Amino acid sequence: MENLLEIKDLRTRFDTEDGIVHAVNGISYTMGHGDLLGVVGESGCGKSVHALTIMRLIQSPPGRIESGEVWFDGRDLLKLSSDEIRQVRGHEIAMVFQDPMTSLNPVFTVGFQIVEALQLHKGMDTNQARDRAAELLTLVGISGAKQRLDDYPHQFSGGMRQRAMIAMALSCEPKLLIADEPTTALDVTIQAQIVDLVRRLQQNLGMAVMWITHDLGVVADLAEFINVMYAGFIIERGPVRLIFKETRHPYTLGLLRSLPRLDEAPGTKLVAIPGLPPDLIALPKGCPFYVRCTFRIEKCQDENPSLEPADSSQHFVACWRWQEIASRSIQ
């Protein structure tokens, strides 16, 4: 089947007083219809910027999409006009942001904001849109939905606001839902509810989901495929099972070793990744993980490896020494 989303050599830059920030650095990957992809990495690695680039939401200036192609359902989104991309946003690709309080307009009711999207993209009248909005709030688990339509965002709890944002994102039945760290500000119990909600909606509606997070535990439970990002690059990509059981990049290995495990003895210390991520204004010539890597060799300092197949046609890694790292993967 033809891919739903295909990213080719995408590069995004930000012009600042200190220099050019290389936020996204030539990433390429595909997503199929109905896929559930996790995009993971620490803060500042380019996860959110790459998603905003897909949506053409990079503010210019200071940001700019330097090069690349974003093929979605047979069209390059980077070549669409402003009017054309507005028809794609919300209707075909929807995005749920990290903080619903900054995404929902505080001076309009929750119902108005969902109704507005339905009228714009689906051509519904007010009564039809309100009925559909109530259905959507019920779908995402908000009780008394018809009455809650007239509530303002501040009258919803954090978990309910995020559910309302998901309802708004689903209102136009998108083919792709991008969730940008939607559970970060929520407590663990609500996080689990939101993850379970998205999984059920994805299965029932058949849409593709891109879940952006720094939490490997979440994607282990939710995603089918993972992109691991570092310094604006994808450094490992593959099915969840392979990434967790047959880790091939030292950064991914470090992320997994820093997670608490239920099968470890009490008192076992977590292993932190030493050092700090590189300055995106002055990226090194070689591998961006070189300074922090315990597997580094001289070649790593001079040449940045490209993303190449590892020991599976679905597993890709950007590391000169992935064969040696294979023997030290977490089992």
Side-chain angles (χ1 to χ4, degrees), residues 138-205:
T138 301
L139 180 67
V140 298
I142 294 178
S143 58
K146 283 195 174 182
Q147 290 71 39
R148 301 311 300 261
L149 286 175
D150 297 318
D151 285 352
Y152 289 86
H154 73 269
Q155 294 174 278
F156 280 39
S157 67
M160 288 174 65
R161 285 194 293 266
Q162 201 57 282
R163 288 171 184 269
M165 281 299 301
I166 293 171
M168 191 181 302
L170 296 177
S171 61
C172 297
E173 301 170 5
K175 298 174 183 176
L176 171 62
L177 174 68
I178 300 176
D180 186 6
E181 303 207 43
T183 62
T184 299
L186 306 176
D187 65 54
V188 176
T189 304
I190 304 301
Q191 281 187 33
Q193 291 175 4
I194 297 296
V195 170
D196 184 60
L197 169 66
V198 171
R199 185 194 294 110
R200 285 189 290 105
L201 291 172
Q202 186 265 343
Q203 291 171 348
N204 294 339
L205 303 177

Side-chain angles (χ1 to χ4, degrees), residues 10 39 46 55 95 182 230 247 250 306-307 326 328:
L10 191 63
V39 181
M55 298 285 284
M95 192 164 181
Y230 186 79
T247 314
S306 57
L307 198 66
R328 305 197 190 188

Side-chain angles (χ1 to χ4, degrees), residues 257-260 264-272:
R257 285 177 170 169
S258 68
L259 290 174
E264 288 179 334
T268 301
K269 290 185 178 180
L270 300 180
V271 181

